[in-house]
Amino acid sequence: MTDATNHPLSGLWQPTQLQKLHYGSGSVKKHLIHCLPGEDSKAFIITGASLANKTPLIKQVEELLGHRHAGTFSKIGEHAPIAQLDEATDIVTNDSSVDTVISIGGGSPIDSAKAISYRLHDKSGKWLYHIAIPTTLSASECTMMAGYTESDGVKTGVRGKELVPSTIIYDSTFGLYTPERLWMSTGMRAMDHAIELLYHPTASEMPARWLTLQAAASLFEHLPSYKANPKDEDTITKLQLSAFASLGFLGYNIKGGLGLSHALGYALGSPYSIPHGITSCLTLGHVIKLKAADPEAAEQIARLLPFLGEALSGDHRKDAERVGDKVLQLVKDLGLDNDLSNYKVAKDEISVITKRATGQESGRVYDDVEGLVKGLFK
C-alpha cells in the first residue's frame, strides 16, 4: 500500500529491515564482529581497487574478521559495471559457507553487494546478510535499490525490500581516507536525496520529510566546515549522519523514482562516466528552480528556508527558487563542478539525455527538461 502524503496529517511509513546503525570514530573495530549474524558466519568483502590498494582499511577489516573472512573482491568500478558484478557473483555462489557480505566504499560497492545478494537469491533462494561500511555520503546503504551498468553503458538495477542492508557502520576514521572532492560531491548527492524526498508525492511526513529538512540544513552547515578542515572527525560523523537522514527514512512505501534530478543523474552518470556526486552538483539547483513552478513541490521545498536561517516570504514559488539559488551557491562555494562542458558530453546529446531522463520525446515536460539540460553547458 502506498499513501500519497502531500497532506501531512495523513500518511503511511513502512520501516525497512535495517537492524543496527553504529556511528562514531572507531565503530568498525568496536562493533563489526558483533554485527555478524552468527558465531559461524563467513563474510565476503566487496570493495573497490583504490580502497584495497591505496588505504589500509580493507586489510584492517580482513584482520578483524580473522577466520570469518571468506574472501575479498576489490574490482568494483564506478557505476558497478556488469562484468565485474558477474565475476563477484560467481565467486560467492561457489562458496556455500558465505552468509554475509560486507560492502566497503561508496555507492558502487554497496549497490554491487545488494545486486549479488539479489542474484544469489534468484539461484538458491538465499539472501546474504549485508553489513555496509560507507566511505562516501552517497547513502546507497539506505535504499532497497541496487544500480549497475549494463554492457551498453546504460544504468539499470533491481529492487526488493530484502536488499536494504541489515547493519550500517559509519566510522569517521574510514572517512578520513576519502578524497576531499569525492566526499563533498557525494555530500551534494545526499542533499539531492534530501530535497527530492522532501517534495516526493509519496514520502511520509513522519519521519521522512522531518528528517530530510534536518539533513539538508546539516549539509548546508557542515559541508563548508569540512572544506575548511577535512580532518575533523566530528564534522565527518555529522555529515555521515546527515547522509543517513537524507534517505534512511525512505521506507518501503515510496513509489517510483526519487525525482528529476536523480533521473538526470542516471542519464548523465554511467553513459558519460560522470560520478553521481558530480551529476547532483550539476543538476540539483536547476531542478529545484524548475520544480518551483509546481505549486505542490514548491510548497514542500519552501519549508527548507527557515532551516537555513531565512524567513519565508509567503510566496512558495519565490521561496523555492531561493532554495535553488542557495544550492547553486553552495556548489560554487565548495569548488565543485557546475559546468557540463567539463565532461565528454557533446551538445548534440541534449535530446538523448532529455529523452533518457523523461522517458518522453516531446511535450511540455520534455521541453522544460531540454531547456534545463541546455543550461548545464556554461
Side-chain angles (χ1 to χ4, degrees):
M1 180 180 178
T2 304
D3 282 2
T5 52
N6 279 324
H7 302 287
L9 300 183
S10 175
L12 168 70
W13 179 60
Q14 293 177 294
T16 68
Q17 67 179 13
L18 177 67
Q19 298 172 9
K20 296 177 183 177
L21 172 70
H22 288 291
Y23 57 92
S25 183
S27 292
V28 170
K29 186 175 182 180
K30 293 174 192 172
H31 303 296
L32 177 62
I33 296 303
H34 304 297
C35 291
L36 294 170
E39 290 186 8
D40 298 323
S41 291
K42 289 290 183 73
F44 191 81
I45 297 170
I46 300 290
T47 189
S50 292
L51 280 172
N53 301 327
K54 297 179 182 179
T55 78
L57 298 176
I58 306 307
K59 286 186 173 61
Q60 287 176 15
V61 174
E62 290 173 346
E63 288 170 4
L64 274 173
L65 290 171
H67 68 278
R68 293 171 166 143
H69 177 225
T72 297
F73 187 86
S74 60
K75 300 179 189 177
I76 298 299
E78 193 171 76
H79 301 297
I82 195 166
Q84 298 160 358
L85 194 59
D86 289 341
E87 187 179 346
T89 302
D90 287 343
I91 295 170
V92 174
T93 301
N94 292 330
D95 187 346
S96 60
S97 71
V98 174
D99 66 352
T100 301
V101 62
I102 299 175
S103 57
I104 307 174
S108 295
I110 295 170
D111 276 8
S112 294
K114 294 182 201 172
I116 290 165
S117 183
Y118 185 94
R119 290 159 147 221
L120 187 67
H121 179 262
D122 265 0
K123 293 179 178 180
S124 67
K126 166 185 169 183
W127 296 102
L128 293 171
Y129 188 90
H130 185 177
I131 299 172
I133 305 175
T135 61
T136 73
L137 301 172
S138 62
S140 172
E141 65 275 7
C142 298
T143 76
M144 58 181 169
M145 284 79 79
Y148 56 91
T149 305
E150 295 281 16
S151 54
D152 60 3
V154 176
K155 197 81 173 267
T156 186
V158 294
R159 62 187 292 157
K161 59 189 180 68
E162 298 87 357
L163 297 185
V164 179
S166 294
T167 294
I168 299 171
I169 306 178
Y170 291 121
D171 190 329
S172 56
T173 63
F174 278 53
L176 289 171
Y177 289 91
T178 303
E180 293 166 26
R181 174 180 163 83
L182 176 60
W183 187 262
M184 291 189 293
S185 64
T186 56
M188 290 308 302
R189 187 66 171 171
M191 184 78 77
D192 204 340
H193 300 324
I195 294 177
E196 293 228 286
L197 187 54
L198 179 61
Y199 62 68
H200 195 288
T202 66
S204 63
E205 177 70 8
M206 172 57 71
R209 285 188 179 137
W210 282 36
L211 269 296
T212 61
L213 289 164
Q214 184 64 44
S218 180
L219 289 162
F220 265 103
E221 178 182 358
H222 296 301
L223 281 170
S225 299
Y226 172 86
K227 181 175 172 61
N229 183 8
K231 299 305 179 186
D232 186 327
E233 287 194 49
D234 286 351
T235 298
I236 289 172
T237 299
K238 288 172 183 176
L239 287 168
Q240 288 172 322
L241 296 180
S242 302
F244 181 74
S246 77
L247 208 55
F249 297 92
L250 184 72
Y252 288 146
N253 55 291
I254 202 83
K255 184 178 180 182
L258 266 187
L260 176 58
S261 184
H262 279 72
L264 282 165
Y266 293 128
L268 289 168
S270 52
Y272 306 103
S273 299
I274 305 175
H276 276 318
I278 296 298
T279 65
S280 292
C281 293
L282 291 165
T283 63
L284 178 60
H286 299 290
V287 168
I288 293 169
K289 297 187 76 169
L290 180 62
K291 296 293 286 187
D294 174 350
E296 290 189 342
E299 182 179 1
Q300 296 298 334
I301 296 165
R303 296 172 65 183
L304 183 54
L305 267 188
F307 287 79
L308 307 181
E310 303 238 346
L312 292 167
S313 71
D315 184 324
H316 294 326
R317 180 169 185 161
K318 288 182 179 177
D319 289 342
E321 288 175 345
R322 283 163 65 198
V323 172
D325 285 333
K326 290 183 81 67
V327 168
L328 292 170
Q329 187 60 50
L330 179 61
V331 171
K332 290 180 182 177
D333 291 345
L334 295 175
L336 297 170
D337 284 355
N338 59 1
D339 185 355
L340 193 54
S341 302
N342 294 333
Y343 294 87
K344 295 178 180 178
V345 186
K347 288 189 177 181
D348 59 11
E349 293 282 292
I350 288 172
S351 60
V352 175
I353 294 164
T354 306
K355 181 180 176 182
R356 198 178 283 146
T358 63
Q360 301 179 19
E361 296 186 16
S362 62
R364 182 179 171 184
V365 171
Y366 179 93
D367 292 343
D368 286 345
V369 175
E370 184 181 51
L372 188 157
V373 175
K374 286 178 181 176
L376 299 180
F377 293 90
K378 299 294 187 282

